[in-house]
PDB file of all heavy atoms in Angstrom:
ATOM      1  N   ALA A   1      72.489  95.172  48.412  1.00 98.00           N
ATOM      2  CA  ALA A   1      72.637  93.802  48.908  1.00 98.00           C
ATOM      3  C   ALA A   1      72.958  92.814  47.790  1.00 98.00           C
ATOM      4  O   ALA A   1      73.616  91.795  48.015  1.00 98.00           O
ATOM      5  CB  ALA A   1      71.361  93.369  49.631  1.00 98.00           C
ATOM      6  N   TRP A   2      72.502  93.106  46.570  1.00 98.00           N
ATOM      7  CA  TRP A   2      72.747  92.207  45.427  1.00 98.00           C
ATOM      8  C   TRP A   2      72.761  93.028  44.144  1.00 98.00           C
ATOM      9  O   TRP A   2      71.777  93.104  43.414  1.00 98.00           O
ATOM     10  CB  TRP A   2      71.669  91.122  45.360  1.00 98.00           C
ATOM     11  CG  TRP A   2      71.872  90.084  44.285  1.00 98.00           C
ATOM     12  CD1 TRP A   2      73.032  89.808  43.615  1.00 98.00           C
ATOM     13  CD2 TRP A   2      70.880  89.190  43.757  1.00 98.00           C
ATOM     14  NE1 TRP A   2      72.836  88.797  42.703  1.00 98.00           N
ATOM     15  CE2 TRP A   2      71.531  88.389  42.770  1.00 98.00           C
ATOM     16  CE3 TRP A   2      69.533  88.981  44.033  1.00 98.00           C
ATOM     17  CZ2 TRP A   2      70.850  87.412  42.054  1.00 98.00           C
ATOM     18  CZ3 TRP A   2      68.855  88.000  43.314  1.00 98.00           C
ATOM     19  CH2 TRP A   2      69.500  87.213  42.344  1.00 98.00           C
ATOM     20  N   PRO A   3      73.885  93.667  43.828  1.00 98.00           N
ATOM     21  CA  PRO A   3      73.955  94.532  42.646  1.00 98.00           C
ATOM     22  C   PRO A   3      73.615  93.820  41.342  1.00 98.00           C
ATOM     23  O   PRO A   3      72.981  94.401  40.457  1.00 98.00           O
ATOM     24  CB  PRO A   3      75.399  95.023  42.659  1.00 98.00           C
ATOM     25  CG  PRO A   3      75.835  94.907  44.086  1.00 98.00           C
ATOM     26  CD  PRO A   3      75.130  93.698  44.615  1.00 98.00           C
ATOM     27  N   ALA A   4      74.031  92.563  41.229  1.00 98.00           N
ATOM     28  CA  ALA A   4      73.821  91.833  39.982  1.00 98.00           C
ATOM     29  C   ALA A   4      72.365  91.474  39.733  1.00 98.00           C
ATOM     30  O   ALA A   4      72.013  91.006  38.641  1.00 98.00           O
ATOM     31  CB  ALA A   4      74.671  90.564  39.965  1.00 98.00           C
ATOM     32  N   ALA A   5      71.508  91.717  40.714  1.00 98.00           N
ATOM     33  CA  ALA A   5      70.083  91.428  40.511  1.00 98.00           C
ATOM     34  C   ALA A   5      69.505  92.260  39.378  1.00 98.00           C
ATOM     35  O   ALA A   5      68.520  91.867  38.744  1.00 98.00           O
ATOM     36  CB  ALA A   5      69.295  91.682  41.799  1.00 98.00           C
ATOM     37  N   ALA A   6      70.115  93.401  39.087  1.00 98.00           N
ATOM     38  CA  ALA A   6      69.629  94.261  37.996  1.00 98.00           C
ATOM     39  C   ALA A   6      69.773  93.589  36.638  1.00 98.00           C
ATOM     40  O   ALA A   6      69.121  93.983  35.664  1.00 98.00           O
ATOM     41  CB  ALA A   6      70.368  95.589  38.001  1.00 98.00           C
ATOM     42  N   ALA A   7      70.629  92.568  36.569  1.00 98.00           N
ATOM     43  CA  ALA A   7      70.860  91.858  35.307  1.00 98.00           C
ATOM     44  C   ALA A   7      70.119  90.525  35.242  1.00 98.00           C
ATOM     45  O   ALA A   7      70.236  89.803  34.245  1.00 98.00           O
ATOM     46  CB  ALA A   7      72.358  91.620  35.104  1.00 98.00           C
ATOM     47  N   GLU A   8      69.358  90.201  36.275  1.00 98.00           N
ATOM     48  CA  GLU A   8      68.604  88.947  36.279  1.00 98.00           C
ATOM     49  C   GLU A   8      67.421  89.068  35.328  1.00 98.00           C
ATOM     50  O   GLU A   8      66.687  90.070  35.341  1.00 98.00           O
ATOM     51  CB  GLU A   8      68.103  88.631  37.688  1.00 98.00           C
ATOM     52  CG  GLU A   8      69.188  88.211  38.651  1.00 98.00           C
ATOM     53  CD  GLU A   8      69.699  86.806  38.375  1.00 98.00           C
ATOM     54  OE1 GLU A   8      68.877  85.872  38.287  1.00 98.00           O
ATOM     55  OE2 GLU A   8      70.927  86.647  38.242  1.00 98.00           O
ATOM     56  N   ARG A   9      67.210  88.044  34.511  1.00 97.00           N
ATOM     57  CA  ARG A   9      66.118  88.066  33.530  1.00 97.00           C
ATOM     58  C   ARG A   9      65.191  86.870  33.738  1.00 97.00           C
ATOM     59  O   ARG A   9      65.647  85.779  34.105  1.00 97.00           O
ATOM     60  CB  ARG A   9      66.679  88.054  32.115  1.00 97.00           C
ATOM     61  CG  ARG A   9      67.633  89.208  31.849  1.00 97.00           C
ATOM     62  CD  ARG A   9      68.306  89.131  30.493  1.00 97.00           C
ATOM     63  NE  ARG A   9      67.397  89.493  29.408  1.00 97.00           N
ATOM     64  CZ  ARG A   9      67.757  89.523  28.126  1.00 97.00           C
ATOM     65  NH1 ARG A   9      69.007  89.185  27.791  1.00 97.00           N
ATOM     66  NH2 ARG A   9      66.893  89.870  27.195  1.00 97.00           N
ATOM     67  N   ASP A  10      63.906  87.099  33.515  1.00 96.00           N
ATOM     68  CA  ASP A  10      62.952  85.999  33.630  1.00 96.00           C
ATOM     69  C   ASP A  10      62.917  85.228  32.309  1.00 96.00           C
ATOM     70  O   ASP A  10      63.613  85.592  31.344  1.00 96.00           O
ATOM     71  CB  ASP A  10      61.572  86.520  34.058  1.00 96.00           C
ATOM     72  CG  ASP A  10      60.899  87.394  33.003  1.00 96.00           C
ATOM     73  OD1 ASP A  10      61.321  87.377  31.831  1.00 96.00           O
ATOM     74  OD2 ASP A  10      59.937  88.092  33.362  1.00 96.00           O
ATOM     75  N   PRO A  11      62.147  84.148  32.216  1.00 95.00           N
ATOM     76  CA  PRO A  11      62.149  83.354  30.975  1.00 95.00           C
ATOM     77  C   PRO A  11      61.710  84.125  29.731  1.00 95.00           C
ATOM     78  O   PRO A  11      62.024  83.729  28.608  1.00 95.00           O
ATOM     79  CB  PRO A  11      61.160  82.232  31.304  1.00 95.00           C
ATOM     80  CG  PRO A  11      61.269  82.068  32.789  1.00 95.00           C
ATOM     81  CD  PRO A  11      61.419  83.463  33.308  1.00 95.00           C
ATOM     82  N   ASP A  12      60.993  85.248  29.918  1.00 96.00           N
ATOM     83  CA  ASP A  12      60.595  86.076  28.777  1.00 96.00           C
ATOM     84  C   ASP A  12      61.657  87.100  28.393  1.00 96.00           C
ATOM     85  O   ASP A  12      61.488  87.856  27.430  1.00 96.00           O
ATOM     86  CB  ASP A  12      59.293  86.815  29.089  1.00 96.00           C
ATOM     87  CG  ASP A  12      58.105  85.880  29.194  1.00 96.00           C
ATOM     88  OD1 ASP A  12      58.004  84.960  28.357  1.00 96.00           O
ATOM     89  OD2 ASP A  12      57.277  86.055  30.109  1.00 96.00           O
ATOM     90  N   GLY A  13      62.740  87.122  29.172  1.00 97.00           N
ATOM     91  CA  GLY A  13      63.818  88.068  28.894  1.00 97.00           C
ATOM     92  C   GLY A  13      63.730  89.361  29.665  1.00 97.00           C
ATOM     93  O   GLY A  13      64.571  90.257  29.496  1.00 97.00           O
ATOM     94  N   ASN A  14      62.732  89.496  30.533  1.00 98.00           N
ATOM     95  CA  ASN A  14      62.549  90.741  31.270  1.00 98.00           C
ATOM     96  C   ASN A  14      63.531  90.890  32.423  1.00 98.00           C
ATOM     97  O   ASN A  14      63.595  90.031  33.308  1.00 98.00           O
ATOM     98  CB  ASN A  14      61.141  90.816  31.849  1.00 98.00           C
ATOM     99  CG  ASN A  14      60.062  90.803  30.784  1.00 98.00           C
ATOM    100  OD1 ASN A  14      60.094  91.601  29.866  1.00 98.00           O
ATOM    101  ND2 ASN A  14      59.118  89.877  30.916  1.00 98.00           N
ATOM    102  N   ALA A  15      64.275  91.983  32.409  1.00 98.00           N
ATOM    103  CA  ALA A  15      65.077  92.388  33.563  1.00 98.00           C
ATOM    104  C   ALA A  15      64.197  93.295  34.431  1.00 98.00           C
ATOM    105  O   ALA A  15      63.119  93.721  34.006  1.00 98.00           O
ATOM    106  CB  ALA A  15      66.318  93.145  33.094  1.00 98.00           C
ATOM    107  N   PRO A  16      64.625  93.613  35.625  1.00 98.00           N
ATOM    108  CA  PRO A  16      63.847  94.562  36.427  1.00 98.00           C
ATOM    109  C   PRO A  16      63.551  95.869  35.696  1.00 98.00           C
ATOM    110  O   PRO A  16      62.488  96.473  35.892  1.00 98.00           O
ATOM    111  CB  PRO A  16      64.731  94.777  37.658  1.00 98.00           C
ATOM    112  CG  PRO A  16      65.429  93.464  37.829  1.00 98.00           C
ATOM    113  CD  PRO A  16      65.727  93.025  36.424  1.00 98.00           C
ATOM    114  N   LEU A  17      64.464  96.308  34.823  1.00 98.00           N
ATOM    115  CA  LEU A  17      64.241  97.543  34.082  1.00 98.00           C
ATOM    116  C   LEU A  17      62.998  97.454  33.201  1.00 98.00           C
ATOM    117  O   LEU A  17      62.266  98.439  33.044  1.00 98.00           O
ATOM    118  CB  LEU A  17      65.467  97.873  33.221  1.00 98.00           C
ATOM    119  CG  LEU A  17      65.372  99.175  32.422  1.00 98.00           C
ATOM    120  CD1 LEU A  17      65.291 100.390  33.357  1.00 98.00           C
ATOM    121  CD2 LEU A  17      66.572  99.312  31.479  1.00 98.00           C
ATOM    122  N   HIS A  18      62.742  96.295  32.608  1.00 98.00           N
ATOM    123  CA  HIS A  18      61.544  96.136  31.790  1.00 98.00           C
ATOM    124  C   HIS A  18      60.284  96.354  32.635  1.00 98.00           C
ATOM    125  O   HIS A  18      59.338  97.009  32.199  1.00 98.00           O
ATOM    126  CB  HIS A  18      61.502  94.738  31.169  1.00 98.00           C
ATOM    127  CG  HIS A  18      62.539  94.504  30.124  1.00 98.00           C
ATOM    128  ND1 HIS A  18      63.848  94.224  30.449  1.00 98.00           N
ATOM    129  CD2 HIS A  18      62.476  94.503  28.757  1.00 98.00           C
ATOM    130  CE1 HIS A  18      64.542  94.042  29.328  1.00 98.00           C
ATOM    131  NE2 HIS A  18      63.733  94.222  28.293  1.00 98.00           N
ATOM    132  N   PHE A  19      60.285  95.802  33.841  1.00 98.00           N
ATOM    133  CA  PHE A  19      59.127  95.961  34.712  1.00 98.00           C
ATOM    134  C   PHE A  19      58.968  97.419  35.144  1.00 98.00           C
ATOM    135  O   PHE A  19      57.860  97.944  35.208  1.00 98.00           O
ATOM    136  CB  PHE A  19      59.272  95.069  35.951  1.00 98.00           C
ATOM    137  CG  PHE A  19      58.956  93.611  35.701  1.00 98.00           C
ATOM    138  CD1 PHE A  19      58.847  93.109  34.428  1.00 98.00           C
ATOM    139  CD2 PHE A  19      58.765  92.744  36.764  1.00 98.00           C
ATOM    140  CE1 PHE A  19      58.553  91.776  34.193  1.00 98.00           C
ATOM    141  CE2 PHE A  19      58.454  91.410  36.552  1.00 98.00           C
ATOM    142  CZ  PHE A  19      58.358  90.911  35.259  1.00 98.00           C
ATOM    143  N   ALA A  20      60.079  98.051  35.447  1.00 98.00           N
ATOM    144  CA  ALA A  20      60.025  99.461  35.844  1.00 98.00           C
ATOM    145  C   ALA A  20      59.472 100.313  34.702  1.00 98.00           C
ATOM    146  O   ALA A  20      58.634 101.200  34.916  1.00 98.00           O
ATOM    147  CB  ALA A  20      61.415  99.949  36.245  1.00 98.00           C
ATOM    148  N   ALA A  21      59.924 100.024  33.485  1.00 97.00           N
ATOM    149  CA  ALA A  21      59.480 100.786  32.323  1.00 97.00           C
ATOM    150  C   ALA A  21      57.995 100.589  32.057  1.00 97.00           C
ATOM    151  O   ALA A  21      57.282 101.533  31.712  1.00 97.00           O
ATOM    152  CB  ALA A  21      60.290 100.376  31.095  1.00 97.00           C
ATOM    153  N   GLY A  22      57.526  99.373  32.217  1.00 96.00           N
ATOM    154  CA  GLY A  22      56.138  99.056  31.900  1.00 96.00           C
ATOM    155  C   GLY A  22      55.151  99.325  33.012  1.00 96.00           C
ATOM    156  O   GLY A  22      53.935  99.292  32.777  1.00 96.00           O
ATOM    157  N   CYS A  23      55.655  99.594  34.197  1.00 96.00           N
ATOM    158  CA  CYS A  23      54.757  99.778  35.342  1.00 96.00           C
ATOM    159  C   CYS A  23      54.823 101.179  35.936  1.00 96.00           C
ATOM    160  O   CYS A  23      54.352 101.411  37.050  1.00 96.00           O
ATOM    161  CB  CYS A  23      55.075  98.741  36.423  1.00 96.00           C
ATOM    162  SG  CYS A  23      54.758  97.038  35.896  1.00 96.00           S
ATOM    163  N   GLY A  24      55.428 102.092  35.196  1.00 93.00           N
ATOM    164  CA  GLY A  24      55.421 103.483  35.648  1.00 93.00           C
ATOM    165  C   GLY A  24      56.271 103.776  36.855  1.00 93.00           C
ATOM    166  O   GLY A  24      55.944 104.666  37.646  1.00 93.00           O
ATOM    167  N   ALA A  25      57.358 103.044  37.015  1.00 95.00           N
ATOM    168  CA  ALA A  25      58.263 103.327  38.137  1.00 95.00           C
ATOM    169  C   ALA A  25      58.785 104.753  38.037  1.00 95.00           C
ATOM    170  O   ALA A  25      58.862 105.332  36.953  1.00 95.00           O
ATOM    171  CB  ALA A  25      59.422 102.336  38.153  1.00 95.00           C
ATOM    172  N   SER A  26      59.170 105.306  39.152  1.00 96.00           N
ATOM    173  CA  SER A  26      59.658 106.683  39.165  1.00 96.00           C
ATOM    174  C   SER A  26      60.964 106.803  38.388  1.00 96.00           C
ATOM    175  O   SER A  26      61.725 105.836  38.265  1.00 96.00           O
ATOM    176  CB  SER A  26      59.886 107.149  40.601  1.00 96.00           C
ATOM    177  OG  SER A  26      61.022 106.498  41.152  1.00 96.00           O
ATOM    178  N   PRO A  27      61.241 107.985  37.857  1.00 97.00           N
ATOM    179  CA  PRO A  27      62.523 108.189  37.170  1.00 97.00           C
ATOM    180  C   PRO A  27      63.719 107.858  38.060  1.00 97.00           C
ATOM    181  O   PRO A  27      64.753 107.386  37.560  1.00 97.00           O
ATOM    182  CB  PRO A  27      62.485 109.678  36.810  1.00 97.00           C
ATOM    183  CG  PRO A  27      61.025 109.978  36.645  1.00 97.00           C
ATOM    184  CD  PRO A  27      60.350 109.160  37.713  1.00 97.00           C
ATOM    185  N   ALA A  28      63.599 108.089  39.357  1.00 98.00           N
ATOM    186  CA  ALA A  28      64.707 107.775  40.267  1.00 98.00           C
ATOM    187  C   ALA A  28      64.988 106.280  40.285  1.00 98.00           C
ATOM    188  O   ALA A  28      66.151 105.847  40.300  1.00 98.00           O
ATOM    189  CB  ALA A  28      64.387 108.275  41.674  1.00 98.00           C
ATOM    190  N   VAL A  29      63.929 105.479  40.275  1.00 98.00           N
ATOM    191  CA  VAL A  29      64.097 104.021  40.246  1.00 98.00           C
ATOM    192  C   VAL A  29      64.696 103.591  38.911  1.00 98.00           C
ATOM    193  O   VAL A  29      65.609 102.757  38.863  1.00 98.00           O
ATOM    194  CB  VAL A  29      62.746 103.309  40.502  1.00 98.00           C
ATOM    195  CG1 VAL A  29      62.830 101.830  40.137  1.00 98.00           C
ATOM    196  CG2 VAL A  29      62.334 103.470  41.957  1.00 98.00           C
ATOM    197  N   VAL A  30      64.196 104.140  37.829  1.00 98.00           N
ATOM    198  CA  VAL A  30      64.728 103.809  36.503  1.00 98.00           C
ATOM    199  C   VAL A  30      66.219 104.139  36.425  1.00 98.00           C
ATOM    200  O   VAL A  30      67.020 103.348  35.912  1.00 98.00           O
ATOM    201  CB  VAL A  30      63.942 104.566  35.414  1.00 98.00           C
ATOM    202  CG1 VAL A  30      64.655 104.487  34.068  1.00 98.00           C
ATOM    203  CG2 VAL A  30      62.533 103.997  35.295  1.00 98.00           C
ATOM    204  N   THR A  31      66.603 105.279  36.960  1.00 98.00           N
ATOM    205  CA  THR A  31      68.012 105.677  36.948  1.00 98.00           C
ATOM    206  C   THR A  31      68.873 104.709  37.746  1.00 98.00           C
ATOM    207  O   THR A  31      69.974 104.332  37.306  1.00 98.00           O
ATOM    208  CB  THR A  31      68.164 107.097  37.506  1.00 98.00           C
ATOM    209  OG1 THR A  31      67.451 108.012  36.661  1.00 98.00           O
ATOM    210  CG2 THR A  31      69.629 107.518  37.568  1.00 98.00           C
ATOM    211  N   LEU A  32      68.397 104.289  38.898  1.00 98.00           N
ATOM    212  CA  LEU A  32      69.146 103.324  39.706  1.00 98.00           C
ATOM    213  C   LEU A  32      69.356 102.017  38.949  1.00 98.00           C
ATOM    214  O   LEU A  32      70.450 101.439  38.969  1.00 98.00           O
ATOM    215  CB  LEU A  32      68.407 103.057  41.014  1.00 98.00           C
ATOM    216  CG  LEU A  32      68.453 104.167  42.061  1.00 98.00           C
ATOM    217  CD1 LEU A  32      67.440 103.894  43.178  1.00 98.00           C
ATOM    218  CD2 LEU A  32      69.852 104.287  42.657  1.00 98.00           C
ATOM    219  N   LEU A  33      68.310 101.538  38.292  1.00 98.00           N
ATOM    220  CA  LEU A  33      68.417 100.287  37.554  1.00 98.00           C
ATOM    221  C   LEU A  33      69.347 100.426  36.352  1.00 98.00           C
ATOM    222  O   LEU A  33      70.118  99.511  36.043  1.00 98.00           O
ATOM    223  CB  LEU A  33      67.028  99.826  37.115  1.00 98.00           C
ATOM    224  CG  LEU A  33      66.070  99.435  38.244  1.00 98.00           C
ATOM    225  CD1 LEU A  33      64.675  99.152  37.701  1.00 98.00           C
ATOM    226  CD2 LEU A  33      66.590  98.214  38.998  1.00 98.00           C
ATOM    227  N   LEU A  34      69.292 101.571  35.676  1.00 98.00           N
ATOM    228  CA  LEU A  34      70.192 101.799  34.545  1.00 98.00           C
ATOM    229  C   LEU A  34      71.640 101.910  35.000  1.00 98.00           C
ATOM    230  O   LEU A  34      72.557 101.394  34.338  1.00 98.00           O
ATOM    231  CB  LEU A  34      69.785 103.067  33.809  1.00 98.00           C
ATOM    232  CG  LEU A  34      68.590 102.960  32.866  1.00 98.00           C
ATOM    233  CD1 LEU A  34      68.156 104.335  32.392  1.00 98.00           C
ATOM    234  CD2 LEU A  34      68.922 102.064  31.667  1.00 98.00           C
ATOM    235  N   ASP A  35      71.857 102.566  36.121  1.00 98.00           N
ATOM    236  CA  ASP A  35      73.224 102.676  36.645  1.00 98.00           C
ATOM    237  C   ASP A  35      73.788 101.300  36.986  1.00 98.00           C
ATOM    238  O   ASP A  35      74.982 101.044  36.804  1.00 98.00           O
ATOM    239  CB  ASP A  35      73.236 103.566  37.897  1.00 98.00           C
ATOM    240  CG  ASP A  35      73.040 105.045  37.571  1.00 98.00           C
ATOM    241  OD1 ASP A  35      73.145 105.410  36.378  1.00 98.00           O
ATOM    242  OD2 ASP A  35      72.771 105.814  38.508  1.00 98.00           O
ATOM    243  N   ALA A  36      72.922 100.423  37.487  1.00 98.00           N
ATOM    244  CA  ALA A  36      73.376  99.090  37.893  1.00 98.00           C
ATOM    245  C   ALA A  36      73.571  98.159  36.700  1.00 98.00           C
ATOM    246  O   ALA A  36      74.443  97.282  36.726  1.00 98.00           O
ATOM    247  CB  ALA A  36      72.364  98.477  38.872  1.00 98.00           C
ATOM    248  N   CYS A  37      72.764  98.363  35.659  1.00 98.00           N
ATOM    249  CA  CYS A  37      72.852  97.474  34.486  1.00 98.00           C
ATOM    250  C   CYS A  37      72.413  98.229  33.238  1.00 98.00           C
ATOM    251  O   CYS A  37      71.307  98.034  32.731  1.00 98.00           O
ATOM    252  CB  CYS A  37      71.975  96.227  34.699  1.00 98.00           C
ATOM    253  SG  CYS A  37      72.100  94.999  33.374  1.00 98.00           S
ATOM    254  N   PRO A  38      73.261  99.110  32.719  1.00 98.00           N
ATOM    255  CA  PRO A  38      72.870  99.918  31.557  1.00 98.00           C
ATOM    256  C   PRO A  38      72.540  99.093  30.323  1.00 98.00           C
ATOM    257  O   PRO A  38      71.713  99.501  29.502  1.00 98.00           O
ATOM    258  CB  PRO A  38      74.089 100.821  31.329  1.00 98.00           C
ATOM    259  CG  PRO A  38      75.218 100.165  32.058  1.00 98.00           C
ATOM    260  CD  PRO A  38      74.605  99.434  33.207  1.00 98.00           C
ATOM    261  N   GLU A  39      73.172  97.930  30.197  1.00 98.00           N
ATOM    262  CA  GLU A  39      72.931  97.113  29.003  1.00 98.00           C
ATOM    263  C   GLU A  39      71.501  96.590  28.933  1.00 98.00           C
ATOM    264  O   GLU A  39      71.023  96.210  27.852  1.00 98.00           O
ATOM    265  CB  GLU A  39      73.914  95.940  28.927  1.00 98.00           C
ATOM    266  CG  GLU A  39      73.926  95.025  30.131  1.00 98.00           C
ATOM    267  CD  GLU A  39      74.951  95.426  31.186  1.00 98.00           C
ATOM    268  OE1 GLU A  39      75.185  96.635  31.367  1.00 98.00           O
ATOM    269  OE2 GLU A  39      75.497  94.500  31.824  1.00 98.00           O
ATOM    270  N   ALA A  40      70.777  96.584  30.068  1.00 98.00           N
ATOM    271  CA  ALA A  40      69.394  96.094  30.062  1.00 98.00           C
ATOM    272  C   ALA A  40      68.507  96.930  29.148  1.00 98.00           C
ATOM    273  O   ALA A  40      67.487  96.445  28.650  1.00 98.00           O
ATOM    274  CB  ALA A  40      68.824  96.090  31.482  1.00 98.00           C
ATOM    275  N   ALA A  41      68.898  98.167  28.899  1.00 98.00           N
ATOM    276  CA  ALA A  41      68.118  99.019  27.993  1.00 98.00           C
ATOM    277  C   ALA A  41      68.094  98.466  26.573  1.00 98.00           C
ATOM    278  O   ALA A  41      67.197  98.796  25.784  1.00 98.00           O
ATOM    279  CB  ALA A  41      68.674 100.437  27.987  1.00 98.00           C
ATOM    280  N   GLY A  42      69.070  97.624  26.247  1.00 98.00           N
ATOM    281  CA  GLY A  42      69.152  97.042  24.908  1.00 98.00           C
ATOM    282  C   GLY A  42      68.691  95.603  24.841  1.00 98.00           C
ATOM    283  O   GLY A  42      68.878  94.945  23.809  1.00 98.00           O
TER     284      GLY A  42
END
């Protein structure tokens, strides 16, 4: 519904990938977020 949401960052710089990484999201979720916005890993 909103692919670019994977690149949205909060005021601390956190993208959804940061939350997934820090909250134990499943590898499948992490993969989806990386596919949508690979640059968030950096």
Side-chain angles (χ1 to χ4, degrees):
W2 184 18
E8 289 287 308
R9 303 174 75 179
D10 67 16
D12 292 318
N14 298 307
L17 182 64
H18 291 79
F19 282 14
C23 295
S26 71
V29 166
V30 168
T31 298
L32 286 168
L33 294 173
L34 282 170
D35 287 347
C37 184
E39 56 268 35

